[in-house]
Amino acid sequence: MARFIADQSFWELFPDAEIGVIVLNNVNNSQDVYKAHEVIIDDLAAANDAAIKWIPEQPLSKNPVVGVWREAFKKFKKKKSNRSSIEALLTRVSKGNYVGKINPLVDIYNTASLTYALPVGGENADAFQGDLRLTITEGGDEFLALGDEENNPTLPGELCYLDDQGAVCRCWNWRDGQRTMLTEETKNAFLIIESVDPSRHEDLMKIMDYIVEKSEEYLGAKLFAKDLITKANPQIAFK
């Protein structure tokens, strides 16, 4: 049995955080899915348009859905330019550089992320080595980011998703790695939704329901697990 574990070092920083976890099996994530379900692309386009409602103020950090993550990112070691994934998406929207299609499952979770303005990520569960942990790292963990060609190891004191081989996602939800990325060949997927604002609980739950519903409907996915990770419930099996 392999598990996802949010370590004590995480809860010491974010005792009120909630993390939604979804594990999907038998996913059809091929480009052929678009032929039968063009609505995936339509939904993503609509979510891009709707997301502007979350960021009426300038600069973006004045908006609560971004500001809360700016504050969260001050609590662990990072480079100055590292921002949350939801800020990255909303920055693109604010500049009219809309988020386009990548593959069906990524499109579904990007639609959910834009619709509800919470960070959402996804990984190939079969690529994990051992357990997956959300933890403060001692640094030096191997990491090859999407689009990079050289190892960019973690910093001491950085909050990361780690497995036995190295980092899976740097600076909490800042940047994913190539080793575990979702591709057209992915069959078993691990998805995660993060919130540090207790008032966003209902939106987090809506995202979870949306991803499960659309993945089952469009991708033929089978739900293996769906749970809310909290300080009182810090782990879940994903295979």
Side-chain angles (χ1 to χ4, degrees):
M1 180 179 70
R3 300 172 298 163
F4 165 64
I5 305 163
D7 283 348
Q8 181 61 29
S9 62
F10 170 75
W11 300 114
E12 288 173 358
L13 296 181
F14 303 104
D16 298 322
E18 294 183 320
I19 300 176
V21 172
I22 299 166
V23 183
L24 300 172
N25 293 156
N26 302 318
V27 177
N28 177 7
N29 201 34
S30 71
Q31 295 292 313
D32 289 341
V33 170
Y34 293 119
K35 297 176 183 177
H37 301 292
E38 291 183 5
V39 67
I40 295 173
I41 301 172
D42 296 338
D43 288 346
L44 180 58
N48 273 279
D49 289 332
I52 202 73
K53 72 179 183 182
W54 294 105
I55 47 172
E57 303 292 333
Q58 290 294 330
L60 255 62
S61 58
K62 286 189 175 182
N63 299 286
V65 296
V66 173
V68 70
W69 286 102
R70 285 285 186 98
E71 290 302 311
F73 270 47
K74 292 178 181 179
K75 294 185 178 183
F76 54 85
K77 184 70 173 180
K78 66 177 184 62
K79 294 181 179 178
K80 187 176 181 180
S81 60
N82 297 163
R83 305 294 189 199
S84 67
S85 66
I86 190 57
E87 180 172 348
L89 290 184
L90 293 175
T91 297
R92 291 184 60 176
V93 168
S94 71
K95 295 178 178 179
N97 181 22
Y98 280 8
V99 179
K101 77 181 184 74
I102 297 176
N103 59 54
L105 185 52
V106 172
D107 296 348
I108 288 170
Y109 82 61
N110 276 339
T111 296
S113 185
L114 288 166
T115 300
Y116 295 102
L118 284 172
V120 184
E123 309 291 344
N124 178 3
D126 292 328
F128 293 150
Q129 301 299 311
D131 291 338
L132 177 68
R133 296 176 293 123
L134 177 60
T135 188
I136 295 294
T137 176
E138 296 180 359
D141 305 284
E142 177 182 311
F143 184 75
L144 185 63
L146 297 180
D148 285 0
E149 296 182 356
E150 296 182 358
N151 178 41
N152 184 12
T154 60
L155 303 171
E158 184 179 335
L159 178 61
C160 297
Y161 290 96
L162 304 175
D163 67 5
D164 291 349
Q165 186 168 331
V168 169
C169 189
R170 292 278 308 273
C171 286
W172 197 350
N173 52 47
W174 166 61
R175 200 167 182 194
D176 272 325
Q178 294 183 29
R179 175 170 58 89
T180 62
M181 64 186 287
L182 293 173
T183 69
E184 292 183 46
E185 288 72 40
T186 297
K187 296 301 179 186
N188 301 303
F190 178 93
L191 296 111
I192 201 153
I193 308 98
E194 299 141 333
S195 175
V196 291
D197 181 354
S199 73
R200 304 297 311 282
H201 173 79
E202 291 302 322
D203 285 338
L204 188 155
M205 301 306 292
K206 288 176 182 177
I207 288 179
M208 295 178 72
D209 290 342
Y210 177 90
I211 291 174
V212 171
E213 176 187 345
K214 300 305 180 182
S215 298
E216 290 178 337
E217 181 178 0
Y218 301 147
L219 313 183
K222 303 297 182 183
L223 180 64
F224 176 82
K226 175 187 174 187
D227 204 357
L228 189 66
I229 300 300
T230 63
K231 186 176 181 180
N233 181 44
Q235 62 180 276
I236 185 176
F238 62 81
K239 64 168 62 173

